[in-house]
Amino acid sequence: MKAIVVTDETAGTAGMTLVERPEPAPALNDVVVQVHASGFTPGELTWPSTWADRLGRDRTPSIPGHELAGVVSALGYGTTGLSVGQRVFGLADWTRDGTLAEYVAIEARNLAPLPGDVDFTVGASLPISGLTAWQGLFEHGRLQAGQSVLVHGAAGGVGSMVTQLAREAGAHVIGTGRTADRQTALDFGAQEFLDLDNDALEDVGEIDLVFDVIGGDIGKRSADVIRTGGTLVTIAGPPEARPVDGLAVDFVVVPDRAQLGEIVRRVRDGRLRTIIGNVATLDDAVAALNPTQRIMGKTIIRVRP
């Protein structure tokens, strides 16, 4: 099968190559999915799990990519809940070969059914941003209707999902970003916008929940705008500060079939939109994932027509 591989951690996306690899076989409780579309997050090339397995052993050349949509082509021993020919989407394990390939072996529990009226391209754009937003808001942030939420990077892939889900849950949403992001953040449901280039973060008032995707100084200062007992949720690394008498939670997204179902249900009925910036074929993936100019939205690799 065709697949993108990486072998040099220092090379980043420039070190990607398109090669022929053996088709994977399903292990216990696995399925093999014929990949129709794959998502890719550039940051994963800095993750240790891209280069080593759970025991720390080198696993290069490794296939990156963790988001996929496709069709189940084989079942491993003991696999239940899915069937051959079924449309699925989901999130592949961090320490196994990923989804920038024609086929991927993946645990069945990491996948959810993809309705026939949701395009594979859309399905592949949902898992990381959708699950991150869902888990950050509802599992770690314990968001309640009527609370205020400050969403950093509200015009980005994760931030736009956070904004939409928080607004639907009855929160008052304040998005942040650069000047050029204002209208996008408002279009996704933010009721207010804070321009981090020109506005003072400290003027935002007391916030119940901050969802941080930036970290650094912004993450540290965010703790000061949270009301006593409030919550800072971040995916940008261990927080340097915490709200008074509150929680500061750093988390890594995990697969969840039920949550994927909730997310795709909202996509079907128009309550949730994703940002797709570019769609390229697997043959053109290396060039597409090394753009010469900034691409707004996620690049999706369409593996099959």
Side-chain angles (χ1 to χ4, degrees):
M1 68 174 184
K2 291 181 181 179
I4 300 293
V5 299
V6 290
T7 57
D8 182 357
E9 187 171 356
T10 64
T13 54
M16 291 178 158
T17 53
L18 180 65
V19 301
E20 286 288 333
R21 288 285 293 268
E23 290 185 17
L28 185 71
N29 296 322
D30 270 359
V31 299
V32 173
V33 176
Q34 183 185 58
V35 180
H36 283 239
S38 171
F40 172 74
T41 301
E44 71 183 68
L45 296 187
T46 67
W47 301 342
S49 56
T50 299
W51 309 100
D53 64 16
R54 287 184 172 88
L55 297 177
R57 299 171 301 196
D58 178 78
R59 67 181 193 88
T60 58
S62 59
I63 301 173
H66 295 286
E67 299 173 283
L68 79 153
V71 175
V72 176
S73 61
L75 304 177
Y77 182 78
T79 299
T80 60
L82 296 174
S83 57
V84 172
Q86 185 172 7
R87 300 172 95 248
V88 292
F89 75 118
L91 184 61
D93 289 341
W94 309 124
T95 54
R96 296 178 66 178
D97 276 341
T99 62
L100 288 175
E102 292 182 301
Y103 293 89
V104 63
I106 179 173
E107 284 192 77
R109 64 180 180 175
N110 291 13
L111 300 168
L114 182 69
D117 55 355
V118 177
D119 187 80
F120 289 114
T121 301
V122 173
S125 73
L126 295 173
I128 287 181
S129 57
L131 288 173
T132 299
W134 188 280
Q135 291 166 18
L137 285 174
F138 304 125
E139 288 191 354
H140 303 294
R142 299 180 181 179
L143 179 65
Q144 301 293 319
Q147 290 185 321
S148 55
V149 181
L150 183 69
V151 183
H152 288 311
V158 173
S160 62
M161 288 285 191
V162 175
T163 297
Q164 293 173 87
L165 290 172
R167 182 69 185 273
E168 184 198 26
H172 181 82
V173 181
I174 304 168
T176 80
R178 297 178 176 177
T179 304
D181 298 329
R182 176 184 298 272
Q183 193 56 52
T184 300
L186 296 175
D187 288 345
F188 276 107
Q191 290 138 301
E192 299 179 52
F193 183 81
L194 188 75
D195 182 342
L196 292 177
D197 289 332
N198 299 295
D199 300 331
L201 176 60
E202 289 72 19
D203 291 342
V204 75
E206 289 197 331
I207 301 297
D208 293 299
L209 170 65
V210 171
F211 199 119
D212 175 35
V213 300
I214 300 174
D217 182 60
I218 291 296
K220 186 175 181 179
R221 290 161 58 199
S222 293
D224 293 332
V225 304
I226 299 173
R227 65 164 179 81
T228 300
T231 305
L232 170 66
V233 172
T234 180
I235 58 171
E240 297 182 40
R242 67 175 59 246
V244 176
D245 294 331
L247 295 175
V249 181
D250 168 41
F251 77 101
V252 176
V253 64
V254 296
D256 189 291
R257 179 179 291 176
Q259 292 172 5
L260 286 169
E262 293 286 350
I263 291 161
V264 80
R265 189 174 302 116
R266 285 162 171 77
V267 171
R268 292 183 74 195
D269 62 23
R271 287 180 287 163
L272 195 61
R273 292 182 289 131
T274 184
I275 306 175
I276 298 174
N278 185 29
V279 179
T281 66
L282 189 59
D283 287 339
D284 296 328
V286 173
L289 296 172
N290 287 274
T292 56
Q293 59 187 15
R294 187 185 179 198
I295 303 294
M296 290 295 294
K298 181 179 283 288
T299 294
I300 300 296
I301 303 305
R302 187 79 189 203
V303 179
R304 294 183 64 82

